[in-house]
Amino acid sequence: MRKPAARPAKKLKAKARTKAVTKPAEPAMDVAVGRRIRDLRRVRQFSLETVAARTELSIGFLSQIERGLSSPSLRVLATLADVFGVGIAALFGASPSADGGSDQVVTRGPERPELKLWRTGVSKQLLSPASADNKLNLFLVHLEPGGSTGDELYTHDGEEAGLVLEGEMMLTVDSETWSLKSGDSFRFASRRPHRFSNPAQDAKAVVLWVNCVTGA
């Protein structure tokens, strides 16, 4: 007697292949950043509609950021920080308190909060104690090969300065662009349109970066 063809096995294999091809989970960093943005918005009692109107970002996009479904660029984060009246450092570490205060003086190396903008190849380690109320913040910025803040120039409150520790960085402020190498430094008002990038395709750039919030 002839045995029936083993069709169910093929179906099982097909199901296995289908199950394997699933969308990966959103990076934990996007979820954490979204939660901090949502907490800052709620502490200030802003609605999504209010933030959308002040940033010219859509309500849908802001909602996706808060839920960790979208990875915001540094330009978007700087714009949101301006609306909340804080520096980007407020997006690091623990959720902000209502008064934003902190008595911390020292940050140990292994305890540095980090913000990874994984889609753009930019990551920032916060070297100064995290607090939504801080006006002066120190960062260690890592630019992966080809990493960039994007083609579009952006602005935000404050002043910034830095020192290139490793590699090369292209810095554009207004209509002028400079190539900065290890040992070169810079300073400019953050309200001047700017962007930066790592032009190298095989080497990381590391920059010691200072941001000072000057607004109220």
Side-chain angles (χ1 to χ4, degrees), residues 3-102:
K3 294 182 180 180
R7 291 181 180 177
K10 290 183 179 179
K11 289 184 178 180
L12 287 174
K13 288 182 179 179
K15 286 184 179 180
R17 285 196 298 268
T18 302
K19 190 174 182 180
V21 183
T22 56
K23 183 180 178 180
E26 295 293 336
M29 181 60 65
D30 289 349
V31 175
V33 171
R35 186 177 297 118
R36 291 169 196 148
I37 291 172
R38 181 195 61 199
D39 290 344
L40 276 167
R41 178 175 63 80
R42 290 179 175 176
V43 163
R44 281 151 180 76
Q45 299 182 338
F46 290 166
S47 66
L48 279 172
E49 290 80 4
T50 298
V51 176
R54 295 185 182 184
T55 60
E56 298 184 353
L57 300 171
S58 72
I59 294 175
F61 180 50
L62 290 171
S63 178
Q64 285 187 330
I65 291 175
E66 288 193 358
R67 290 180 291 153
L69 301 178
S70 182
S71 182
S73 66
L74 189 57
R75 180 181 65 84
V76 169
L77 291 179
T79 300
L80 289 170
D82 263 9
V83 168
F84 298 139
V86 298
I88 289 181
L91 304 180
F92 291 73
S95 297
S97 60
D99 61 9
S102 172

Side-chain angles (χ1 to χ4, degrees), residues 5 24 29 42 49 53 56 67 73 76 112 116 136-137 139 142 154 171 182 188 195 209 212:
M29 181 60 65
R42 290 179 175 176
E49 290 80 4
E56 298 184 353
R67 290 180 291 153
S73 66
V76 169
R112 294 175 186 168
K116 288 185 177 180
L136 182 67
N137 292 287
F139 301 93
H142 293 259
Y154 68 101
L171 174 66
S182 178
F188 60 92
R195 65 179 296 272
W209 208 297
C212 180

